[in-house]
Amino acid sequence: MRIRDLILPEDKVFFTLFLEMAEKIGESATTLNEITHELPGGTEKAHKVRQIEHHGDEITRKIFEQLDESLITPLEPEEIARLAPVLDDVLDRLDWVTHQLCNYGIPETNDVLKEYSYLIMLASIEISHAVKSLSTLKDPDEVRTHVAEISRLYNLSTELLSRAILDLFKTKDLLLIIKLKDIYEGLARVMEKCNDVGHALSDIAKAHS
């Protein structure tokens, strides 16, 4: 019998906290998607994403506090120490780009903003499924399936960014070009962080196969 099969109930708190973090990522991604469909309205929702980001910081703090206190952990300590901050990074980048989007005074939405935020929302769903699958420690292949979808969505997002930047420079409003380019690149960084979560989850699943 492996040590992970002898986990005490209280040590499962890590999975509870990781699932809560994934849920917060989903809430932020959904709010961002709503905003991109409501511009120039909906900007008041940015405060919700900021509150979620603060909550994420608190969850991350609890994870590391628990890690310091636990003798037995469901994952290797270094795996927990790797996964917690990459999840938090997604929330940080979601908060950043949401406030960019709302503070820049974009006069109207466009298909790129909608599509990018939709890809982020889909990635957040896959993160949640992957974390949930990881919490059982029974089917690493299921984790890898969700990670593969995160990677696919990330690749789609990089293609979208390339197309969006090319199309952007066909417009004549220089200030709008600067604002939108910054926002697009901010959205790209969110997807990069989602992909980082995928890499961390994949490595953990592989180690526990």
Side-chain angles (χ1 to χ4, degrees):
M1 182 177 289
R2 290 169 293 187
I3 289 178
R4 75 188 194 195
D5 297 319
L6 300 172
I7 296 169
L8 300 174
E10 58 266 28
D11 291 310
K12 294 183 179 179
V13 68
F14 292 103
F15 289 132
T16 299
L17 293 169
F18 284 142
L19 286 168
E20 188 175 354
M21 198 71 159
E23 179 183 309
K24 295 304 174 187
I25 289 172
E27 289 179 17
S28 289
T30 298
T31 303
L32 173 62
N33 186 251
E34 291 172 357
I35 293 171
T36 61
H37 282 73
E38 296 172 10
L39 287 173
T43 55
E44 75 284 352
K45 294 182 180 181
H47 81 280
K48 178 181 178 181
V49 177
R50 177 59 52 84
Q51 290 174 341
I52 294 171
E53 190 274 330
H54 290 331
H55 192 176
D57 288 340
E58 182 64 17
I59 296 170
T60 302
R61 183 186 63 78
K62 288 179 181 178
I63 290 171
F64 280 101
E65 284 182 352
Q66 190 69 32
L67 188 58
D68 287 339
E69 297 171 0
S70 298
L71 295 177
I72 300 175
T73 56
L75 302 172
E76 295 298 327
E78 59 268 24
E79 293 172 338
I80 294 171
R82 177 184 177 189
L83 184 56
V86 292
L87 288 167
D88 189 52
D89 285 346
V90 178
L91 280 178
D92 288 344
R93 298 315 308 186
L94 275 165
D95 176 57
W96 179 265
V97 76
T98 299
H99 279 79
Q100 278 183 309
L101 187 63
C102 294
N103 293 337
Y104 280 3
I106 304 301
E108 60 183 2
T109 190
N110 61 41
D111 289 341
V112 173
L113 293 173
K114 292 177 183 178
E115 188 174 348
Y116 231 127
S117 66
Y118 184 61
L119 289 174
I120 290 170
M121 191 167 65
L122 291 178
S124 76
I125 292 171
E126 295 302 323
I127 287 172
S128 182
H129 287 327
V131 170
K132 191 173 295 184
S133 297
L134 183 69
S135 67
T136 65
L137 288 173
K138 291 180 180 178
D139 191 354
D141 285 339
E142 186 176 345
V143 176
R144 285 192 283 266
T145 296
H146 295 300
V147 168
E149 181 61 11
I150 294 170
S151 179
R152 188 186 73 85
L153 293 168
Y154 170 69
N155 289 334
L156 287 176
S157 74
T158 60
E159 294 171 7
L160 175 59
L161 179 63
S162 297
R163 296 197 310 271
I165 296 297
L166 286 175
D167 289 342
L168 193 57
F169 284 102
K170 295 176 183 178
T171 64
K172 297 179 180 180
D173 187 334
L174 181 59
L175 183 58
L176 185 61
I177 289 173
I178 294 171
K179 289 179 177 180
L180 285 176
K181 182 176 181 293
D182 200 23
I183 291 169
Y184 292 166
E185 290 173 347
L187 292 166
R189 283 188 283 274
V190 175
M191 287 301 294
E192 288 173 3
K193 295 303 180 182
C194 288
N195 203 42
D196 288 344
V197 172
H199 289 316
L201 289 167
S202 180
D203 289 345
I204 293 170
K206 182 178 179 180
H208 292 267
S209 296

